[in-house]
Each structure stands twice: as C-alpha cells, then as structure tokens.
Amino acid sequence: MIAAAVTGLLALFTPQSILFMVVGVVYGLVIGVLPGLGGIVAMALVLPFTFGFQPAAALALLLGAHAATVWGGSITGILFNVPGAAKTITSVFDGYPMTQRGEGARALGASAMAALLGGIIGAVFLVATIPVVRPLMLALGPSEYFMMALWGLTIIATFSEGSVLKGLIAAGLGILVAFIGMDPITGTARYTFGSLFLLDGISFPVAMIGLFAVSQMLKLFVKGGSVVEAQADAESSTVWDGVQDTFRHWWLVLRSSVLGLWIGVLPGVGASVGGIAAYAQAAQTSKHPERFGHGAVEGVIGPDATLAATEGGGLLPTLAFGIPGGESMAILLAAFINMGITPGRQMLTTNLSLVFTMVWIIVISNILTTVIGLLSSKTLARSAKLPARYLVPTVLAVCFMGAYATHGRIGDVVVAAIFGVVGYAMDKYNFSRADFVIGMVLATMIERDLHISLTLYGNTFIFTRPVTLAMFLFILFTTALPIVRRSLARRRAAAEARDS
Amino acid sequence: MSRRTQENILAVVLVGILVAVIIVSMGYGPRSRLVPVPVAVFSLVLVIAQLVVQNTSSPDDLHVDVLEVLTRRSAREGLQDKARASRTSTATAHPPGTRARREVIAFVLLAVLLGLVLLLGPIVGIFLFVLGYAATIGRLRWYSALGLSFGVSGVLYLLFVVLLNTQMYHGILPGPL
C-alpha cells in the first residue's frame, strides 16, 4: 500500500500533470464563482480536453477543477449572498451576515481552511476506510436512501419555531416544482401543459440562479447602496482570523469531514444534501445555536469541510464498484472509460497506484485552492463594497449568461427570470428560499426510492428491513431530541424565573 | 396596501396554485400521483393554517426570519433581531411609496433585459442592457458606461463563447433582419 502511495505521488511530478492541476484549480475557482456553474459543469466542459493525455495529467485537470469549484462557489455565497452552485447554498446562511458586519475576509479564510482540512481528512479517510466501507455500502438499499431523504426533510421541522408553517410551505412548493417534467418512474409528463421545454423539468442550477442571484440583485436595486451597508462596520477582520477559527473548531471540522465522506460514499445522495446536513449538525451540536444565521463562523466551517470531504468519499463507489457517488463522479467515470480504465475490484488491487494518484490530486489541489484563495481573500472581500450601479447590471448579465450556458437553452433564461421574481417575493414575505431548495433537492430522491422500496419490499418495508427501521428510529430520535431539549430549557428558565 | 393584505393575497394565490396542482394530479396514474398529491394536500393545509394564523396574530408576528427554520432561535429572539436590524437600516430605508416604485422599476428592468436577450441574443442583449443601465440609472459618463458594457459583454464572450465553447443563441430578430 505504501509503495502504491509513493508511485501514485510520483506520477504527478511531471510538468504536464503539474500544469494541468494548476490550470484545473484556477479554472475551477473561476467556474465556481459564476452563479449556477458548479463542479459538474466544470468537469463536463473540460472532459473533451482530457482525451489523449496521460491518466495522471487528465485526472489532475478534472479533479483539480472539481475540487476548486467547492471553495469557488462559497466565495460568491459569502460576499454577495449568491451561492456559486447548489451545494454551496449554506455559505449564504452565515457567510453573508459575516460579510455584512465587516468580517468577509474572516469568513473567506475560515471557508478556505475548512475546505482544505475537509479535503485532506476526506482523502485520508478514503484510504483508511476502503476495506471497511465496502460491506457497509452493500447493506444499504433504496429504502435506506428513502430514509436518508426523509431525515433531510425533518431538518426543516426540527429546528423551526414560530416560522414552521412558512418553512414547511416553502419546502412543499420546492418538492412540487421538482416534479415538473417527465416522471422517471412511469414516464408520465407531469405539470408540463404540453410544453416540450418543461418535459426536462426545471433545471436545478437555473432555479438557484433565479432564486438567489437574480432576486438578490432585485433586492439590491430596490435598497440601493452596496452589498455591505454604508454604515456597517469597515472590514474588521483578517483572513488569519478565519484560519484560527477553523483550528479552534477542530472537532467540528473532523465531524463535518467524516459526514462529508459518508455522504460522498452513498451513491446518488449528492453534495447539496451534504452541505445542508452539515449545517444542520453544526447548528444542532453548537453551544450557541442562536448565533446561526447571524454570522456564526461554525456555520461556514461545517458545510465547507463537509463539501470538500465528499470528493474523497465520492471516489470510493466510483472506483470500487463503478457506481458514481454523484453527477460529477459520473463524468469521472466517463473519463475512465475514455482512458481505458475499468472501475471495479481491480482498482483496489492492480490499479491501486492510480487510486492513490487521485487521492494525492485531491490533497494537492485543495492546498493550491487554499493558497490561491487565501492570497486573494482580501481583494475579494473588498468587492462586496461595489456600488449597486456597477454590481446590479454586471451580476444580472452573468446570471442570465450562466442560466443559458447551463444547458444551452434560451428557455432557461426565462426560468431564471421567473424564479428571480419568485425569490424576491419569497424573501419579502419571509418564505424560506433555503427550505424551498431543500425540498427541490430531496424530492426526486424521495419519490424514486419510495417507489423502488414499495416494489421491492412491499408496503411494510420500514418494518421488514432492519437497517431501514434503525434509520427510522434515528429520525424519530433526532426529531424528538430538540423538542425535548427546548421543553427542558423552558422549564429551566421558568424555574430560574421563579427562584429570582 | 397593508402588509397583512399583501400576505393574505399571497396565501390565496398559493391556495389556488395548490388546488390546481391537486386537480391536475388527479388526471395522472396512481403511481405518478403517489407523492405529489399528499405533498400538495399537506402544503394546502399548511397554507390555510398560515392564513388563519396571520389573521389572528399581531402584525409583528408576520415578520418571520428565514433562518429560524434551520437554527434553534426562538421567534422572540428573531423578532428582537429584526427590530435591531430595522433600527440600523433606517438611515438607508426608502419610504413605502418610493420602495414600491423602485420595485416596479426593478421588475421592468428585469423584463427589459429578458426581452433584449430573447430578441438579440445574450451577448448583444447584455451589451445594450449594461450600456443603458449604466448611462441612465447608474448615471455614469457615456465613456464609462461604454467601457463597462464593453468590459462585461467582452469578458462574458471570452469566457463562454471562446473558452467554454458555448453554442450561442442569436435571438429572434437577427433571423428576419
């Protein structure tokens, strides 16, 4: 194994591989910053350029680009409240409030360092868990994935108080919007009203561009000024503060990375769910959950560590079983086939050095991303003070172009504009856009896995599958726990009030 | 129009949409509507409950924080935060009439950009939009506006058309013209 690790590292020390990795990282950062164009688009666009090159160089370009998009997507989320991709949506929850109070550099520093540590921990855990994870993965079926999706939905209800109705309504609407298009189970066209364009459904990145980016620009136009309020504190933090925060919350980084690894390993779950789950666990386990949503640095650290760690996790099923852990891994699988590499058992035996090459690519590209990111953080943080008269037309132009480029369909630009207005209305009337997105992300998974579970295991599958039942009980436990905690806290507060 | 009236109109619109979804879904097969119908019915019940709540609560209760749903902050804490936020933003806040007018202008601007992109394609449409916006609303000097619009559309052209090789849409007008 050590020999394979050394061989894997040496394969990267060629001028071509190094150049490809640097190009991949810079390209990934640029793509990540553009709203709607995430790691999947980044990999899909460079895939044709990898043909004919050595596997190490081609993989350096692909994986380097993909790893860099994770942090690239967080930049715009933190600075402009515009997530670069679906999976970086959580960066707006606390990163943006930090920018608003003059701590943009700190948030970017924490985000970059968390992504670096998450990426490294994910890669190390990938190597360590290869022999352990395989039987565990084989034990999971569609009913367990259905339970995981349900757990994702309970996040909305679990942490809400007062606004639970609007949160759940938004999630319900998100689920229904995800059902527009061809039903993958029966082939029925749902809610398309005869439109061929709608048959493909509402594109997730396009909806995201509208809901967050376009609506944010509308809001900025109405408000005037800049993203950072004129009377808000001047930039009062440094990138170094964020780096220190990450090490101060090392336990959160470790937990989030392991969560990311696990989510990456599960085929089809995707990093979007990972980011939301990471945010929820960071809030759930924090000593100060009330700070979340107001610029808690833990809210930036947790999701970024998780997202970076999913890279390592996603490689495991892709390499070992030829089952892609997500859409980006499916593109990697296509690259393998073009290189003449067959995923499967032999990847963990005869081609083990290639696996280690990929592990090293993840580690090195994460380091490169962090170095470039930290060097540019201060400059990037200043961009939040750009006045609306420059920002609004520029970002709207990028949004429309990004929406069009996602699938090359002009109809997507119309969808982005419509979702922009919807997002503005949701923001104005306090319907959570985050919950809407959670609903959209989980809808397909819930429906697909419910149908497969019912067909395979019958109507009582929850009680006949032991792992499913255990997960179901876990969901009940995690749903009930905050309610019990809250009730105890109220009683304690009441008792204290009586005593005083 | 009061906040409560606006919220009521929105809730009624949502009721209409959800009822329509349920009616349309009933035309699909049992497997196709297995998940959408329960979700729509559940959402409908929630909207009706919201309608009742917002008409029986004080106006302050209508201001609900988005992130209360992902954190364990209580509604009271959320309201305190909002009060604090509204105090700090009073300096830049527009009066209600001005705000409504700016909202209308924002939607019109979005429609103009969409129209330009559909008619002339993304690159030309974006060039004209940025130029017009910078020169009129942005009040930039003509050479600055021209520079900004050339810069934005040029960078987008380089990035998407030259580097990413995106097949560009040329708009409805160039064909007949």
Side-chain angles (χ1 to χ4, degrees), chain A residues 34-230:
Chain A
L34 298 175
L37 303 183
I40 302 152
V41 179
M43 285 178 84
L45 289 170
V46 291
L47 188 62
F49 299 106
T50 59
F51 303 152
F53 290 102
Q54 286 181 343
L59 290 169
L61 183 65
L62 279 169
L63 284 172
H66 191 247
T69 55
V70 175
W71 191 70
S74 297
I75 297 172
T76 46
I78 289 169
L79 295 180
F80 303 119
N81 205 21
V82 176
K87 61 186 173 186
T88 54
I89 183 182
T90 46
S91 61
V92 307
F93 295 166
D94 282 283
Y96 184 64
M98 284 180 79
T99 301
Q100 283 184 308
R101 65 167 191 240
E103 292 184 347
R106 181 184 170 197
L108 286 172
S111 166
M113 188 47 71
L116 170 64
L117 294 178
I120 292 173
I121 292 168
V124 170
F125 267 81
L126 166 70
V127 174
T129 54
I130 283 174
V132 184
V133 172
R134 190 174 174 270
L136 202 61
M137 275 183 58
L138 293 175
L140 296 183
S143 56
E144 285 78 29
Y145 291 127
F146 171 66
M147 282 298 150
M148 282 206 61
L150 274 189
W151 182 67
L153 272 188
T154 61
I155 289 168
I156 300 164
T158 304
F159 303 109
S160 58
E161 244 184 85
S163 64
V164 66
L165 281 174
K166 285 188 172 179
L168 288 171
I169 291 166
L173 292 174
I175 292 174
L176 291 173
V177 165
F179 290 149
I180 295 174
M182 182 82 83
D183 173 13
I185 308 295
T186 62
T188 309
R190 291 186 298 195
Y191 318 114
T192 59
F193 308 104
S195 159
L196 281 176
F197 173 77
L198 287 177
L199 213 55
D200 286 341
I202 299 291
S203 164
F204 191 75
V206 173
M208 290 276 304
I209 290 173
L211 275 176
F212 290 94
V214 175
S215 71
Q216 191 62 30
M217 288 306 112
L218 293 176
K219 196 176 160 187
L220 186 60
F221 176 83
V222 172
K223 182 180 79 87
S226 60
V227 172
V228 176
E229 293 285 350

